Amino acid sequence: MAESLLSFSEVLLFGRLLNDLQIVRSDIKKTVRVATVEKVNLNNVDTELDGVELAEGDLVLVRRNNANENGVYKVTAGAGSAFKLAVEKKISADDRVAVLDGIEHGDTVWTQTKDIPKQNYKQAGLRGRGRNNLLDAQLSLHAKFARIYGFAYEGTYHELPEPALFLVHGEGKSATDNIPANQGARAPQNPSITGVASAEYQIANDIRVWDYDKADYSIRMDVMTGMLEQVLLDVYFGGGGPSVSGAKVSGAKVSGAKVSGAKVSGAKARGSGD
């Protein structure tokens, strides 16, 4: 077994992003690149806001000017190297605006509290960044789904018997960047990416890695493909069907049936019962 080089609470997920399966926040009416931290001159804006380098066409949430000037603006060319902000949209009362990037306000959501045309933005009641142990905070603006093939836990890499879909955040890190030339596709030396001291496995060049605490909440979806008859009967009667609510049901009917050797909602059921 490989010696652990991580904290005992750390879990690394290895997989590929699913670009055709995305999370959409239905409560968000507009998404912008960055939000202002303090009052700005709309006709002479610095090229950087909240640590983000602006580009023409970026959307900016102006939130610290007066109520008649606040709103969503588009970055346009200004004098010299500066930018101007052109009105893009006034947000209706109680609607929400999401901010993607920024040191202070990246990955935040703001509620507009005034009647148009006045605009006043108050941060929505979400948990702060870095406190992601509850599921509502995990469903952030950068949440995605990835097909996960394996994971590193307490210094050992484990390959899943079959891939599963997990909630992840961002693009992840490359699992094979900066590998010594004689290692081929083996795991890199940096334990912050591999999670292990040594390994005999090989990793494809496009595999990404996501780093979590084992106490973080997440979503797992086990996917089975095949003929509809096969998919339905396998999950109903067992025989290698997918997990249900995180529990493997073996040789059992679901709904008024016997459950054998399965964990249900974190509790192990032994024997059988009607």
Side-chain angles (χ1 to χ4, degrees):
M1 290 293 182
E3 179 184 357
S4 174
L5 296 182
L6 299 172
S7 75
F8 285 111
S9 65
E10 194 166 9
V11 175
L12 300 176
L13 301 178
F14 291 71
R16 295 183 174 97
L17 281 174
L18 290 178
N19 294 321
D20 55 349
L21 182 63
Q22 299 181 349
I23 297 171
V24 177
R25 290 276 300 266
S26 60
D27 60 327
I28 303 299
K29 299 302 180 182
K30 195 73 175 176
T31 300
V32 301
R33 174 87 188 281
V34 65
T36 58
V37 176
E38 55 192 18
K39 185 176 180 178
V40 296
N41 181 345
L42 301 178
N43 294 312
N44 187 11
V45 179
D46 290 338
T47 58
E48 182 180 292
L49 283 179
D50 197 11
V52 176
E53 286 289 337
L54 296 178
E56 287 190 51
D58 283 346
L59 295 183
V60 176
L61 176 63
V62 175
R63 44 168 292 276
R64 294 300 298 270
N65 286 29
N66 63 58
N68 289 316
E69 287 186 334
N70 289 339
V72 175
Y73 287 76
K74 180 178 286 187
V75 175
T76 61
S81 60
F83 287 116
K84 293 174 61 177
L85 296 180
V87 176
E88 169 75 11
K89 186 177 181 63
K90 294 290 185 178
I91 305 300
S92 299
D94 297 326
D95 283 349
R96 290 184 169 190
V97 177
V99 181
L100 290 174
D101 301 323
I103 297 173
E104 290 288 331
H105 300 316
D107 207 9
T108 58
V109 176
W110 300 80
T111 302
Q112 205 284 104
T113 63
K114 298 284 188 180
D115 291 328
I116 291 177
K118 294 184 182 297
Q119 304 274 282
N120 180 62
Y121 290 91
K122 179 180 179 181
Q123 187 169 357
L126 301 178
R127 293 171 64 88
R129 287 171 293 167
R131 301 172 59 191
N132 61 347
N133 58 315
L134 292 181
L135 191 55
D136 61 348
Q138 290 280 26
L139 294 173
S140 72
L141 303 174
H142 296 90
K144 305 172 185 288
F145 281 108
R147 181 178 287 107
I148 299 301
Y149 304 102
F151 63 96
Y153 178 66
E154 294 189 356
T156 303
Y157 176 81
H158 305 272
E159 194 168 284
L160 294 176
E162 55 189 37
L165 305 187
F166 276 81
L167 181 72
V168 297
H169 300 83
E171 302 299 318
K173 297 179 181 178
S174 171
T176 57
D177 278 354
N178 303 316
I179 303 175
N182 61 355
Q183 272 198 297
R186 288 192 177 279
Q189 297 297 307
N190 186 347
S192 68
I193 296 177
T194 65
V196 296
S198 62
E200 297 177 356
Y201 56 89
Q202 291 187 326
I203 298 178
N205 288 333
D206 62 338
I207 293 295
R208 313 295 293 182
V209 183
W210 292 270
D211 186 356
Y212 294 98
D213 187 278
K214 68 180 181 182
D216 287 343
Y217 274 65
S218 189
I219 296 175
R220 189 190 85 191
M221 297 190 296
D222 296 350
V223 178
M224 182 178 183
T225 60
M227 293 183 294
L228 187 58
E229 177 186 44
Q230 176 189 8
V231 172
L232 286 173
L233 294 182
D234 276 1
V235 72
Y236 190 72
F237 292 108
S243 297
V244 180
S245 297
K248 200 78 172 178
V249 180
S250 176
K253 290 184 178 179
V254 181
S255 179
K258 297 178 179 179
V259 179
S260 175
K263 285 188 177 180
V264 181
S265 299
K268 190 152 188 177
R270 297 185 180 275
S272 62
D274 292 329

